[in-house]
Every structure is written in C-alpha cells, then in structure tokens.
Amino acid sequence: MVRQKPLVVVTRKLPDVIETRMMELFDVRLNLNDEPYTAAALSEAVSGADVLVPTVTDRIDAKVLAAAGERLKLIANYGAGVDHIDLRAARERGITVTNTPDVLTEDTADMTMALILAVPRRLTEGERVIREGRWPGWSPTWMLGNRVSGKRLGIVGMGRIGQAVARRARSFNMSIHYHNRRRVHQEIEAELEATYHESLDQMLARMDIVTVHCPHTPATFHLLSARRLKLLQPHAYVINTARGEIIDEAALTRMLRNREIAGAGLDVFENEPAINPKLLQLDNVVLLPHMGSSTIEARIGMGECVLINVRSVMDGHLPPNRVLPEDLGF
Ligand code: 8YV
C-alpha cells in the first residue's frame, strides 16, 4: 500500500488544537496517555516514522534513530532546546532537525523575572509561613529580603531569552551585564544599557544576581562549575530557567547550604524530574518544575511551529526553525 500522508510520531500529549490539526494533515501516532516513553517503548513507537516530534523528556540517541529506520527525515522538536537529541547521529543519517524558538521567549523571560523577584524577596518562604499558620504578625525586622532595584544582573547567554530578561530587568532599575560567546550588536547593547564581559569569571565575581540563558551543549555543560561558583560573592543569587546541566548542581547545593551564596531560583535541574533531596531542605531556594514556557499560548505556539516546520519539509522547502543541517549559506 502506498502511504499518502507522512507518518508523524508525537511522543507526548500536545494541546488538543494542535493534535487535531496534525490528524487532519498527517498520519499521526499519538501518545494518548502522555506517559513519557521508556527507551524501549520509544524505539517501538518511532518505527517506520517519517517525522518524529519529541520533547525534552525523550532521549533521542543513535539507537532510537536506528529503530526509526530509513524513512525518518525530520525531527521536529517541540521545544527550543535540543540537548536531548544526538545531533551528530542525526547529521550522519541526513535527518533535518527543527525547534520552536521565539514563541516561548516572553513567557520564559517572565518566569525568570518572577524568580529574580521571588528569591531575594523571599516570596515562597513568606507564603509557606502563612499556609502553615506560623505568622506571628508584622514586625519591623522579620522576613527581610534584599532589594533588586539598583543591583547588578549578570546574564549568561544573551540570546532571545537573555535579551528579553534584560529588558524586564531594566524596568526594575537593575544594571545589565552579560557574557556571551559573541558580543551582541551595538544597538542592542545601547538599548539595554548592557555591559559586555568577555571574561565570565570576572563578571561572576561582580554580580548581585546571575541568570543563565545559554543552551546546554557539550561546551556549556557545568559552565558554572564549582570553581566558577566560588567566584560569586556571598550575597549573590543564582537563577536558572535554561538547563540544569549548565550548573554543577551538587556544588551549587553545597554553597547554598553553607550560605556561601545567598540563594537560588531554579526552574530546571540536572536529573529532571528527580530533585536533589538536599535542595528540598533549603529555605533559600525557590524550586519550580520546568515551567518557563508553560502557558497555553506558548504551548499552542510551539505546536504551530512544529506544524509549520513539518509542512515545510514535506513540501520540499527549508523549514523556518532549522537546527540541522546548519546554515546552508543562502
Ligand atoms: C519546553 C524548554 O517546554 O523549549 C525548551 O527548551 O525548556 C521548555 O520550555 C520543553 O523543552 C519542551 O520540550
């Protein structure tokens, strides 16, 4: 039998409107109960697929790609980060990889700003006091946090999300510092009144709050290593809405416990969904379950991106959000 429509394998439950449209356009294999696939179940699910739509909860390695077989020509990731995909294996097999940038930028920046406010102002600590009936009443010297206005914010990774965070932080009267592989355009620096630090080490040593916005790649694994974390001042806060692997989480936890830094706001973790139990015991951290892009608007936008990327490839065009093959030079 000749297959009319491409077989698209989707590994997790997506918003209804996206799944409905996918069913109109493609031959779709959905994950109806939304349980993350085990490695074996994933290999079974992808067999014979033309297109795979994974999420951050899937490990797309060479074995999975081999199990998919020769037909697989596109991995249309549902998400911006592609660190769960073995890009080298995909490149070797000539597979195109796309992602979903832009549509989640503002929401992730909002969540980052929420953590930048929540940690120094002890938001969740205060909330816990109320819920647990432990509020002794107002006092001039109780539950004091730190002001964010006038403080130095160090942004590690000045891409779309880093810049969106900088814009928000400016309006909270913070001064913007950043480290990036490349200096951003002068006009952007001027708009954000941002100071570029070629040396990450030097930037870390001077910041009041550090927030991470680079992708997780082999080059950024433990970029904030134990050695670099030691450069932070004792009053500094660390925020991470990017990927847990960028920070040495064990070293960060030790420093938080010993009060060598003031606090942390973490939306991502090294071994998600497992959380280091020592982190759970600390009151100077705000912990969120990877919620940066969790708005209905972002999740539908991400689905739209996937649809457009798949359609583009199926129609023989370059997809708008191509990660692989890298820039083809036109
Ligand atoms: C997504 C994210 O929800 O887009 C990303 O890289 O980290 C999240 O906001 C997740 O990746 C979906 O696969």
Side-chain angles (χ1 to χ4, degrees):
M1 192 186 82
V2 180
R3 195 188 282 162
Q4 297 296 320
K5 294 176 176 177
L7 174 61
V8 177
V9 172
V10 185
T11 66
R12 299 296 300 273
K13 170 97 191 77
L14 302 185
D16 285 343
V17 59
I18 299 301
E19 290 191 340
T20 302
R21 186 67 183 134
M22 281 184 164
M23 286 188 283
E24 285 166 11
L25 294 171
F26 317 122
D27 193 0
V28 200
R29 199 178 282 161
L30 298 173
N31 176 353
L32 293 176
N33 72 9
D34 196 35
E35 286 263 335
Y37 286 134
T38 60
L42 185 58
S43 288
E44 203 181 308
V46 297
S47 126
D50 298 286
V51 177
L52 172 61
V53 181
T55 76
V56 69
T57 56
D58 304 300
R59 186 125 312 281
I60 310 300
D61 56 17
K63 240 171 125 178
V64 172
L65 297 182
E70 293 302 311
R71 298 186 61 97
L72 185 67
K73 57 178 79 63
L74 171 65
I75 300 172
N77 187 52
Y78 184 82
V82 289
D83 53 327
H84 52 292
I85 301 170
D86 183 339
L87 293 177
R88 184 180 299 188
R91 190 189 292 111
E92 274 166 14
R93 297 181 80 92
I95 295 170
T96 299
V97 177
T98 59
N99 68 345
T100 64
D102 295 318
V103 290
L104 42 66
T105 298
E106 302 303 323
D107 294 324
T108 308
D110 285 346
M111 195 58 105
T112 307
M113 200 62 222
L115 286 172
I116 290 173
L117 295 170
V119 183
R121 296 303 304 275
R122 306 176 64 179
L123 205 84
T124 51
E125 251 185 286
E127 217 254 355
R128 279 197 293 273
V129 164
I130 298 255
R131 281 186 191 276
E132 292 164 12
R134 293 188 284 113
W135 188 26
W138 188 88
S139 148
T141 54
W142 181 73
M143 217 14 122
L144 304 185
N146 284 106
R147 177 181 292 165
V148 297
S149 176
K151 297 292 164 63
R152 293 192 177 97
L153 178 67
I155 299 177
V156 181
M158 196 60 142
R160 299 171 176 94
I161 298 173
Q163 290 175 31
V165 169
R167 240 164 247 128
R168 283 158 178 74
R170 272 307 297 141
S171 64
F172 281 83
N173 195 35
M174 304 185 78
S175 67
I176 307 302
H177 300 254
Y178 76 98
H179 171 79
N180 200 44
R181 270 180 314 167
R182 270 174 306 220
R183 201 168 167 162
V184 300
H185 199 279
Q186 261 182 2
E187 271 173 32
I188 298 173
E189 263 188 20
E191 180 214 330
L192 300 172
E193 299 175 74
T195 304
Y196 176 60
H197 295 254
E198 199 179 334
S199 158
L200 175 59
D201 289 9
Q202 285 180 19
M203 182 177 89
L204 293 176
R206 291 174 192 159
M207 294 302 114
D208 301 306
I209 301 177
V210 169
T211 183
V212 178
H213 298 290
C214 57
H216 167 222
T217 66
T220 64
F221 175 78
H222 283 193
L223 183 67
L224 295 198
S225 58
R227 179 191 70 76
R228 286 210 170 100
L229 289 169
K230 290 270 181 209
L231 300 171
L232 294 167
Q233 300 180 67
H235 71 265
Y237 297 96
V238 173
I239 308 296
N240 190 4
T241 57
R243 283 291 182 273
E245 291 91 335
I246 301 166
I247 303 181
D248 181 338
E249 194 177 278
L252 178 75
T253 306
R254 266 195 312 275
M255 290 182 68
L256 287 163
R257 207 173 38 180
N258 300 336
R259 307 282 155 167
E260 292 169 75
I261 56 170
L266 306 175
D267 183 46
V268 287
F269 303 88
E270 263 200 82
N271 300 301
E272 287 180 27
I275 307 288
N276 180 340
K278 290 180 183 146
L279 270 180
L280 297 175
Q281 290 164 8
L282 301 173
D283 56 12
N284 54 347
V285 293
V286 176
L287 307 172
L288 295 177
H290 201 142
M291 290 169 67
S293 68
S294 61
T295 64
I296 184 66
E297 293 88 346
R299 293 294 158 81
I300 289 175
M302 290 158 71
E304 287 285 333
C305 273
V306 167
L307 284 163
I308 292 166
N309 285 319
V310 176
R311 278 300 286 262
S312 301
V313 170
M314 290 304 144
D315 290 347
H317 303 295
L318 288 176
N321 308 120
R322 198 177 72 243
V323 176
L324 261 190
E326 294 94 339
D327 197 353
L328 297 174
F330 55 87

